[in-house]
Amino acid sequence: MQKITVATDSSDQSKAALLFAILLPVQTKCSLTFFIADHILTPTARNFRSTEAQEKEQTEIVQQRQDLFVEKTTKVCIQQQLIQCT
């Protein structure tokens, strides 16, 4: 069985690739691992907020964006009957 890693950056453009990847196990025996890459902004100069607080805030923003991306993609897959929810 092949193992395939599917990388995404949570962008609208990557949704098509993600949907294509979800169909691969239907066509061939393979397992999928999803990797979501994102960028956490870090300040380039010191300001009134600590670097740790800034990093934590950015991490939460990225997590929310990724959660929303996965939720929307899952809904599309269910609507198109590409996957089943149990």
Side-chain angles (χ1 to χ4, degrees):
M1 180 185 293
Q2 290 184 326
K3 295 181 181 180
I4 300 173
T5 301
V6 181
T8 179
D9 61 0
S10 302
S11 67
D12 289 337
Q13 295 81 5
S14 67
K15 284 182 187 172
L18 190 61
L19 293 173
F20 176 80
I22 289 170
L23 292 173
L24 286 175
V26 174
Q27 300 169 4
T28 181
K29 286 189 175 183
C30 68
S31 65
L32 301 177
T33 301
F34 294 92
F35 176 83
I36 301 175
D38 219 316
H39 179 72
I40 296 175
L41 300 175
T42 53
T44 56
R46 295 276 176 186
N47 58 13
F48 67 96
R49 293 169 45 179
S50 72
T51 302
E52 287 180 14
Q54 176 76 13
E55 186 174 313
K56 182 179 179 184
E57 180 183 312
Q58 288 298 314
T59 301
E60 290 172 359
I61 290 169
V62 166
Q63 184 65 52
Q64 289 172 355
R65 186 168 52 228
Q66 290 175 354
D67 290 345
L68 184 61
F69 177 78
V70 170
E71 182 182 325
K72 285 181 176 180
T73 304
T74 303
K75 283 181 182 178
V76 168
C77 291
I78 291 169
Q79 288 171 350
Q80 295 182 8
Q81 298 179 344
L82 301 176
I83 61 173
Q84 294 180 357
C85 248
T86 56

